[in-house]
Amino acid sequence: MKTLIFLDDERNFEDVTWINYPDYKEIHVVRNTSTFFDCLQINFVTGATLKDLAFSFDHDLAEFVNGFEKTGKTAANMLLNFMLEYNFDPADLDYHVHSKNPVGKENIEGLLEGYKNYYSGHCV
């Protein structure tokens, strides 16, 4: 059973009733991209792989650093960089986008699906 990394600045996992999530061994709620990065680093450095993890992204995180807005897409980019660094098979990427922002949701899904389609068969 997988561990879910749930990124949202306000909602808790139980608040997202519009997605039918499978059962997870653990759920880690992270509130910003820095904590998301730390969670990825801890999991991957300690030997977890994409087969062990699932992700759920919100888009709007109300996170601004030096005038730059960090969003769920920022976190998705972080995840893709880790996937490249650790040479993970994109076919193993298990994710949901629970954002209520339709454009943000589409941007995150487009990024992740584009990566999966481009790198399928090129990694591992």
Side-chain angles (χ1 to χ4, degrees):
M1 196 175 296
K2 294 183 179 195
T3 295
L4 177 69
I5 300 174
F6 181 89
L7 174 64
D8 198 302
D9 63 322
E10 294 179 342
R11 293 181 200 96
N12 292 312
F13 174 76
E14 302 80 25
D15 299 333
V16 179
T17 58
W18 55 94
I19 293 181
N20 187 19
Y21 290 104
D23 289 332
Y24 292 107
K25 175 176 68 175
E26 293 179 281
I27 299 167
H28 296 283
V29 176
V30 295
R31 300 294 184 194
N32 57 51
T33 57
S34 295
T35 308
F36 182 84
F37 179 84
D38 292 344
C39 195
L40 287 177
Q41 195 167 29
I42 289 166
N43 277 282
F44 292 148
V45 168
T46 59
T49 70
L50 285 181
K51 292 180 181 180
D52 303 312
L53 301 171
F55 304 88
S56 192
F57 296 93
D58 183 25
H59 180 268
D60 302 306
L61 301 176
E63 182 181 358
F64 296 87
V65 177
N66 298 324
F68 175 74
E69 182 179 15
K70 293 190 174 189
T71 66
K73 187 176 178 195
T74 307
N77 273 315
M78 291 175 179
L79 174 59
L80 298 183
N81 287 330
F82 270 96
M83 289 173 62
L84 284 168
E85 181 179 343
Y86 287 93
N87 204 29
F88 289 142
D89 186 346
D92 294 333
L93 179 58
D94 180 5
Y95 73 92
H96 305 275
V97 181
H98 64 268
S99 180
K100 289 283 194 167
N101 175 332
V103 174
K105 180 179 184 338
E106 187 175 300
N107 287 338
I108 295 168
E109 290 172 340
L111 174 70
L112 295 174
E113 287 303 310
Y115 178 90
K116 285 174 73 171
N117 292 335
Y118 182 79
Y119 284 101
S120 285
H122 294 82
C123 296
V124 195

